[in-house]
Amino acid sequence: YLIREGGLDIHAGSVIGVCAESHCEFRAPLAFPETVTAGLRVGQLGRSSVRYEIALFGEDGGEPAATGWFVHVFVERDSLRPAEIPEQMRAALEALSVRA
């Protein structure tokens, strides 16, 4: 999504995202060949970081089988110092943000 909509260039861009934190909570089993649907939203959007919230659903479409989150921190590729999220990428992330 960030590559297609946000202009993220993971191979040559000056700003890249690194995973700083992740968490997953198992709630129920999923098994092959079951179709799994993933829900993704942005829970928090900061100056240089974003927290994604994720849920995985089985074919029954009921309660999620797993929930979790992870944090991307955007950094300058060369120095690995925190970098402000570029405007195009921020707009793409805002489209996935939780609305108050």
Side-chain angles (χ1 to χ4, degrees):
Y1 176 79
L2 286 182
I3 292 169
R4 186 182 68 244
E5 300 296 326
L8 177 64
D9 181 348
I10 62 172
H11 299 291
S14 63
V15 174
I16 58 172
V18 296
C19 181
E21 273 184 272
S22 66
H23 173 81
C24 181
E25 183 177 333
F26 171 84
R27 295 172 179 259
L30 297 169
F32 181 81
E34 182 176 9
T35 299
V36 176
T37 301
L40 172 71
R41 69 182 186 185
V42 169
Q44 293 178 300
L45 184 57
R47 186 190 74 77
S48 63
S49 65
V50 59
R51 177 182 160 127
Y52 304 97
E53 299 172 346
I54 306 159
L56 300 179
F57 299 89
E59 290 177 339
D60 67 4
E63 293 296 311
T67 57
W69 49 264
F70 69 97
V71 175
H72 252 161
V73 174
F74 292 90
V75 298
E76 295 289 339
R77 177 183 297 277
D78 295 333
S79 68
L80 298 181
R81 302 286 302 155
E84 191 165 334
I85 299 171
E87 188 176 316
Q88 182 181 354
M89 203 174 309
R90 177 172 291 283
L93 292 167
E94 286 173 346
L96 300 177
S97 293
V98 176
R99 304 286 192 248

